[in-house]
Amino acid sequence: MTEKPVVSCLRLLWLVISFSQCHAFITAPIVKSTILSRGKFSYRDNGLREMDRTSALMNSLTGAIVAHHSAVKTRDIEVAIKFYSLLGFRVEAKFRAGPARAAFLTNVPLADKENEGRVGAPTQSRIELLEVPAYMLQEAEGTRKRAIDLAKHETLLGLNHLALDVTECIRQRRIEEDMVVPPEEVSGAQCSLYGLQSWIDDLNSMSIATFGKNLRIAVSPDKQIIGSTVYEYAFLYDADGSLIELVSAHRERDTVVDSGWEPWDGSGFMQ
């Protein structure tokens, strides 16, 4: 008579345990989903936290990196210094780099606070000139070595050219020419009255007057739309034949142009 209640209790306990296990099995995915949606700890969250830590570490390691200089080799550093003076660069420091004479050149653009954050706002640039000693050049008598013409060798890899933003220079020249019109009010026709070609013409006149030499043009001025900005660009050769790109932010468009990465027709990147 006394064993039946015990058996009944054991059966009830077994049913409770079985129901609990079944409930856990059924509800586990729901609980996991709820945990994820509420932002509580999960393996996925742990991965995201790892990514955040990695991002924070990268920022602390590399977040303050800025471009310091671009290096250009030359056969005659004095001639190179004169050439880059046309582009507003002055000698910052002279030093030795092994057997080579070397110099840092910097340009100090006009300090204009209202230009900060604007496309083409002036920033300081630095160039390192490295003079290859004559005994290393080994030029044959009557010959002169030059840099490889990268405008004609599109398949060569590595650094290609130095690009200088002359947007502010052109803007200043427009002001001097009494074309003081806000960029948003300037039509394409008016804006072309003084553009990159005119600026290069003025630069060439200064080169002839100062050094008696014409600038060597690698690629004549042209336009290209990148994002929402219409750029003017051209390429010059420096005194040793290295490529220099001159870039000017011509105007802004209301629409953004697609990158055009796909499809690509396989043509060269210079026209």
Side-chain angles (χ1 to χ4, degrees), residues 66-78:
V66 294
H68 186 269
H69 68 269
S70 299
V72 180
K73 287 184 177 180
T74 177
R75 64 184 298 279
D76 188 331
I77 198 167
E78 302 295 343

Side-chain angles (χ1 to χ4, degrees), residues 125-139:
S125 302
R126 181 183 286 107
I127 296 172
E128 180 184 16
L129 294 178
L130 297 165
E131 183 182 65
V132 180
Y135 74 87
M136 295 177 67
L137 274 179
Q138 297 183 354
E139 295 174 320

Side-chain angles (χ1 to χ4, degrees), residues 8 13 30 52 69 71 75 82 87 90 103 114 126-127 146 148 184 189 203 207-208 219 263:
S8 298
L13 179 61
I30 300 173
D52 289 341
H69 68 269
R75 64 184 298 279
K82 291 178 180 178
L87 298 170
R90 301 291 181 268
E114 65 186 28
R126 181 183 286 107
I127 296 172
R146 289 191 179 276
I148 295 174
E184 62 273 11
L203 187 69
S207 178
I208 294 172
V219 178

Side-chain angles (χ1 to χ4, degrees), residues 56-180:
L57 178 60
M58 289 179 64
N59 187 58
S60 66
L61 285 174
T62 62
I65 289 179
V66 294
H68 186 269
H69 68 269
S70 299
V72 180
K73 287 184 177 180
T74 177
R75 64 184 298 279
D76 188 331
I77 198 167
E78 302 295 343
V79 172
I81 288 173
K82 291 178 180 178
F83 172 83
Y84 283 100
S85 71
L86 287 171
L87 298 170
F89 285 85
R90 301 291 181 268
V91 175
E92 177 188 9
K94 295 180 179 180
F95 55 98
R96 281 276 178 182
R101 292 196 298 172
F104 278 145
L105 309 183
T106 55
N107 69 334
V108 183
L110 297 173
D112 191 346
K113 291 296 182 183
E114 65 186 28
N115 285 324
E116 290 184 359
R118 182 175 60 78
V119 174
T123 55
Q124 187 180 46
S125 302
R126 181 183 286 107
I127 296 172
E128 180 184 16
L129 294 178
L130 297 165
E131 183 182 65
V132 180
Y135 74 87
M136 295 177 67
L137 274 179
Q138 297 183 354
E139 295 174 320
E141 187 176 352
T143 65
R144 177 179 177 176
K145 287 188 176 180
R146 289 191 179 276
I148 295 174
D149 189 348
L150 293 174
K152 298 177 181 178
H153 293 79
E154 298 182 2
T155 59
L156 294 180
L157 306 182
L159 294 176
N160 184 264
H161 63 270
L162 171 69
L164 300 176
D165 189 340
V166 299
T167 305
E168 189 63 21
C169 298
I170 292 175
R171 191 181 80 89
Q172 291 293 331
R173 286 293 292 160
R174 285 179 185 155
I175 292 174
E176 293 172 7
E177 296 292 329
D178 292 328
M179 288 190 286
V180 188

